[in-house]
Amino acid sequence: MKGPIDAKRRRFLASAAVGAAAAAAAFPAPAIAQEKREWKMVTSWPKGLPGVGTGAERIAQRITDMSGGRLTVKVYAAGEIVPALECFSAVAEGKAEMGHDASYYHIGKHRQAPFFTTVPFGLTANELSAWIHFGGGQELWDELYAGFGLKPFLAGNTGTQMLGWYRKELKTADDYKGLKVRMAGLGAEVVKRLGATVVTVPAGEIFQALQNGTVDAAEWVGPYNDQALGLNQVAEYYYGPGFQEPSAGLELIVNKKLYDELPKDLQMIVAVAAQAAHDDLWAEYALRNGEALANLITKGTKVARVPNELMIAMGSASGEVLAEERDKADAIGKKIFESFLKARGPASAYTRIGEQAMANARALAYKYIE
Amino acid sequence: MKGPIDAKRRRFLASAAVGAAAAAAAFPAPAIAQEKREWKMVTSWPKGLPGVGTGAERIAQRITDMSGGRLTVKVYAAGEIVPALECFSAVAEGKAEMGHDASYYHIGKHRQAPFFTTVPFGLTANELSAWIHFGGGQELWDELYAGFGLKPFLAGNTGTQMLGWYRKELKTADDYKGLKVRMAGLGAEVVKRLGATVVTVPAGEIFQALQNGTVDAAEWVGPYNDQALGLNQVAEYYYGPGFQEPSAGLELIVNKKLYDELPKDLQMIVAVAAQAAHDDLWAEYALRNGEALANLITKGTKVARVPNELMIAMGSASGEVLAEERDKADAIGKKIFESFLKARGPASAYTRIGEQAMANARALAYKYIE
């Protein structure tokens, strides 16, 4: 609201017959220019991608609206300014002031960066938020990213993802032996231990890779996004849950120097817009994933739960991978492990007697209204 | 940031030797006064109550900070301006500009008001947000509350609550016969159907009521808040989950006329602060409930899951109560039922293969890092 009010005042001053020179002196141009910021938000998402992509657009719009246009944010899809996985460097170097992506894309910068997105058999979305905001996660994330000139915020979540699309039925851990799988992050290390061969396939090429047999199985996100890629047309089985992403936190990264220079009100606007997005995006996925799942089932997809025996094998393999990662971790990496596990214990214990038990109870055979 | 800038400009104008009369004309006092708002937020929470109470304080602080002090919000505990359950009327009548409480306190205003907090065997916190923001819930809530001169926002959640504290072990639905229970809302109707006698006890008197046998069992919130009341000292068994509150959404209510008159940037600041609070409060409960649960177990509380047979009886009784409520509902009440159920189907279906399955998988017997 700053702009219009200033304009109105200037007109008022003029009409009040204040000398033109005095009016010019009262509103020196640079002072006004400083108050209007136009920022670029680069993202790792294809243009208009539902969920993560449109969610990033909502964050930008809310910052723009809450600041009354004093901080205008324009969103750029992957490839428009920088490629999908280069937001981190682009924001650090100031090519863009902010970015929306996921910390696990930055494993090349630091091995424990993925913790702020997801860890195999780790935290649900709500528990991730609990660790970040109330369990010391934010402080460690700040410390880690400050080394790269960035200020990070948790700014979205897809919720629990699916294990993915399979051309054959999964029964035991042995079914992974020799399987060619598209899977990213630490989950890829886990399925390798079960005997799979991991194949790197960009999102836009998953359909073709499944179709021509380059891979036997592939994971991307969940029903809402996977349906958009048409993956149901090239694989019959759709397994959940995805041990590799119990939830997937998204991040808003801001160039730290520019963030530190913002007035306090704009700093708070950015921080609160990010936190609201954690609720906002996840809520969108919760409903749209459910609707897409129903649609996929109608079209013939066989939706199935991963058998317990296989889940246990995945859990122990995840434990092995994480133990080795911890042994190799540097000082801050070890602190991240410690802090994460300290939150995982109590948070998952309450989930078990609370939400998890309630969701299980809700699935029992009672008579409800329809 | 508006205030200080105005002050600076006024000093600048003065130093630029603009006549005093012109300066006064340029900044008419009422115009400036209009830009600074000092609002009161009444709440239903005791002073400083962790979770809901301190969460309301954070909402107020964030609105104040994001607006640069143009909208300053001061929080009042229950009883400071109005009693705990009178926020709705107080805000409608303009005694306070906003309030933080829960819609199920307003069942006397409309029988379906509780849907925006919780419904027995209804929605988890994330699913509630999905219904409100993406499933048409907000529009119906707006319509319902507009009739009372209020604008509502989802602004917090306690997560899944516990069934409560019991002096005797619960095995079957028969154990409720003749039991004196403190339970509020639609859950009270459900346990009545199982043969319980429902006793109304204010939060501050639950301890005494359990101690002197006025009640045999009582529910309040969850470990974080219940521990603060010392309920573990007067009942041995602590059951979860609470079928009566699969999650409990909190609301920020604003006097609609005053909200409509706010500039667009302040309207958005209020809305986004509320949505961020849904993530914020729930995250706090997730971690603190877990820590409190561990502490209660150490001190001898027997924490147990409600047996499935009893859960099924509770589920069917909930279905009966809801069916009768729907039969009696008015036009908007019926629309609320329909919209709620339309979201519950797909959202709970994805929870089942997603987060619920993941939480169950996480509890299997694999070897993880510690």
Side-chain angles (χ1 to χ4, degrees):
Chain A
M1 299 309 289
K2 207 68 207 310
I5 290 169
D6 284 348
K8 205 168 144 191
R9 281 204 184 129
R10 260 174 286 173
R11 285 196 301 275
F12 190 91
L13 280 168
S15 73
V18 176
F27 297 98
I32 290 173
Q34 272 176 15
E35 288 176 13
K36 285 261 188 185
R37 289 169 177 83
E38 292 181 7
W39 280 16
K40 294 180 284 295
M41 183 198 290
V42 288
T43 72
S44 294
W45 324 124
K47 193 88 186 166
L49 182 72
V52 287
T54 50
E57 297 273 2
R58 288 197 299 271
I59 296 172
Q61 190 60 52
R62 287 170 171 195
I63 292 172
T64 302
D65 290 349
M66 285 196 284
S67 71
R70 285 177 299 136
L71 177 54
T72 302
V73 181
K74 187 170 178 338
V75 175
Y76 293 86
E80 289 189 329
I81 294 181
V82 290
L85 304 182
E86 293 179 20
C87 294
F88 191 92
S89 302
V91 177
E93 292 162 12
K95 281 183 199 160
E97 292 82 4
M98 48 175 38
H100 192 252
D101 64 350
S103 70
Y104 65 0
Y105 297 150
H106 319 317
I107 192 166
K109 305 284 182 191
H110 194 279
R111 293 293 297 177
Q112 276 68 55
F115 275 68
F116 305 100
T117 302
T118 197
V119 170
F121 283 82
L123 305 173
T124 63
N126 165 243
E127 294 166 0
L128 177 65
S129 188
W131 174 47
I132 296 296
H133 296 296
F134 295 93
Q138 184 69 51
E139 290 74 8
L140 289 168
W141 200 4
D142 283 346
E143 186 184 338
L144 183 70
Y145 275 33
F148 299 95
L150 295 171
K151 165 72 185 170
F153 297 95
L154 184 59
N157 205 302
T158 65
T160 305
Q161 298 200 0
M162 293 290 279
L163 179 68
W165 297 87
Y166 286 72
R167 290 157 62 102
K168 285 187 191 160
E169 206 174 346
L170 275 180
K171 286 177 183 161
T172 71
D174 285 343
D175 291 326
Y176 268 98
K177 285 188 180 137
L179 209 67
K180 289 170 289 179
V181 181
R182 191 262 181 197
M183 188 174 284
L186 290 171
E189 296 304 314
V190 174
V191 294
K192 273 187 202 168
R193 267 164 221 248
L194 302 182
T197 303
V198 172
V199 185
T200 304
V201 182
E205 296 168 27
I206 297 174
F207 181 93
Q208 205 184 348
L210 270 170
Q211 192 176 39
N212 66 23
T214 305
V215 297
D216 304 307
E219 65 94 25
W220 194 37
V221 183
Y224 185 35
N225 286 148
D226 292 5
Q227 179 179 253
L229 289 191
L231 302 185
N232 57 312
Q233 298 162 37
V234 283
E236 191 178 359
Y237 297 94
Y238 195 26
Y239 283 96
F243 77 90
Q244 77 285 3
E245 304 194 45
S247 81
L250 307 167
E251 67 181 10
L252 182 70
I253 45 177
V254 187
N255 180 290
K256 190 173 182 306
K257 186 170 172 294
L258 294 175
Y259 181 77
D260 290 343
E261 285 169 6
L262 284 180
K264 294 287 173 213
D265 57 343
L266 294 183
Q267 286 186 340
M268 185 58 83
I269 280 173
V270 170
V272 175
Q275 187 165 12
H278 194 257
D279 184 77
D280 188 51
L281 264 102
W282 183 20
E284 180 180 0
Y285 274 105
L287 193 58
R288 302 296 174 233
N289 271 336
E291 293 166 351
L293 191 72
N295 186 49
L296 289 168
I297 291 168
T298 304
K299 289 188 177 166
T301 293
K302 290 179 177 157
V303 176
R305 208 166 56 76
V306 178
N308 281 352
E309 186 201 326
L310 176 53
M311 262 294 176
I312 290 170
M314 285 165 163
S316 294
S318 298
E320 279 176 32
V321 168
L322 291 169
E324 290 171 20
E325 288 287 333
R326 184 166 58 182
D327 286 345
K328 291 184 289 184
D330 62 8
I332 186 167
K334 284 195 163 63
K335 280 199 286 181
I336 291 170
F337 264 99
E338 188 185 354
S339 174
F340 165 85
L341 289 170
K342 198 179 162 201
R344 184 180 181 269
S348 65
Y350 190 66
T351 295
R352 202 187 289 202
I353 190 84
E355 188 159 308
Q356 175 184 346
M358 187 63 230
N360 287 335
R362 194 173 57 176
L364 293 170
Y366 56 96
K367 192 170 164 4
Y368 203 61
I369 53 167
E370 281 173 9
Chain B
M1 300 308 291
K2 207 68 206 310
I5 290 170
D6 283 349
K8 203 167 144 193
R9 281 203 184 131
R10 259 176 288 174
R11 284 196 301 275
F12 192 91
L13 280 167
S15 72
V18 176
F27 297 97
I32 290 172
Q34 271 176 14
E35 289 176 12
K36 283 261 187 185
R37 290 169 175 83
E38 292 182 7
W39 280 17
K40 295 180 284 295
M41 184 197 290
V42 289
T43 72
S44 293
W45 324 123
K47 193 87 185 166
L49 182 71
V52 288
T54 51
E57 297 273 2
R58 286 197 300 271
I59 296 172
Q61 189 60 52
R62 286 169 172 198
I63 293 172
T64 303
D65 289 349
M66 286 197 284
S67 71
R70 286 177 298 138
L71 177 54
T72 302
V73 181
K74 188 170 180 330
V75 175
Y76 293 86
E80 289 189 330
I81 294 180
V82 290
L85 304 182
E86 293 180 21
C87 294
F88 191 92
S89 301
V91 176
E93 292 161 11
K95 281 183 201 161
E97 293 81 3
M98 48 175 39
H100 193 253
D101 64 350
S103 70
Y104 65 1
Y105 296 150
H106 320 316
I107 192 165
K109 306 284 180 189
H110 193 279
R111 293 293 297 176
Q112 276 68 55
F115 275 68
F116 305 100
T117 301
T118 197
V119 170
F121 284 81
L123 304 174
T124 64
N126 165 242
E127 294 165 2
L128 177 64
S129 187
W131 174 47
I132 296 297
H133 297 296
F134 295 93
Q138 184 69 52
E139 290 75 8
L140 289 168
W141 201 3
D142 283 346
E143 186 184 339
L144 182 70
Y145 276 32
F148 298 96
L150 295 171
K151 165 72 185 169
F153 298 95
L154 184 59
N157 205 302
T158 65
T160 304
Q161 297 198 1
M162 293 290 279
L163 178 69
W165 297 87
Y166 286 71
R167 291 157 61 102
K168 283 185 190 162
E169 205 174 348
L170 276 181
K171 285 177 184 161
T172 71
D174 285 343
D175 291 327
Y176 268 97
K177 286 189 178 135
L179 209 68
K180 290 171 286 180
V181 181
R182 190 261 181 196
M183 188 174 283
L186 290 172
E189 295 305 313
V190 175
V191 295
K192 273 187 202 166
R193 268 163 221 250
L194 302 183
T197 303
V198 172
V199 185
T200 303
V201 182
E205 295 168 27
I206 297 174
F207 181 94
Q208 205 185 347
L210 270 170
Q211 192 175 41
N212 67 22
T214 306
V215 297
D216 305 306
E219 64 95 24
W220 195 36
V221 184
Y224 186 34
N225 286 148
D226 292 4
Q227 180 179 252
L229 289 192
L231 301 184
N232 57 313
Q233 297 162 38
V234 283
E236 192 179 359
Y237 297 95
Y238 194 27
Y239 283 96
F243 77 90
Q244 78 285 2
E245 304 193 47
S247 82
L250 307 167
E251 67 180 10
L252 181 71
I253 45 177
V254 186
N255 180 291
K256 189 174 182 306
K257 186 169 172 295
L258 294 175
Y259 180 77
D260 290 343
E261 286 169 5
L262 283 180
K264 293 287 174 212
D265 58 342
L266 293 183
Q267 286 186 342
M268 185 58 82
I269 280 172
V270 169
V272 176
Q275 187 166 12
H278 194 256
D279 183 78
D280 189 51
L281 264 102
W282 183 22
E284 181 180 359
Y285 274 105
L287 193 59
R288 303 293 173 237
N289 270 337
E291 292 165 352
L293 190 72
N295 186 48
L296 289 168
I297 291 169
T298 305
K299 289 188 176 164
T301 293
K302 290 180 177 157
V303 176
R305 208 166 57 75
V306 179
N308 280 352
E309 185 201 326
L310 176 53
M311 262 295 175
I312 290 170
M314 286 166 163
S316 294
S318 297
E320 278 175 35
V321 169
L322 290 169
E324 290 171 21
E325 288 287 334
R326 184 166 58 183
D327 287 345
K328 290 185 288 186
D330 62 8
I332 187 167
K334 286 195 162 62
K335 281 199 285 181
I336 291 169
F337 264 99
E338 188 185 353
S339 174
F340 166 85
L341 289 169
K342 198 179 162 202
R344 184 181 182 268
S348 66
Y350 190 67
T351 295
R352 201 187 289 202
I353 189 84
E355 189 159 308
Q356 174 184 347
M358 187 65 230
N360 287 335
R362 195 172 56 177
L364 293 171
Y366 56 95
K367 191 170 166 1
Y368 203 61
I369 52 169
E370 279 172 10

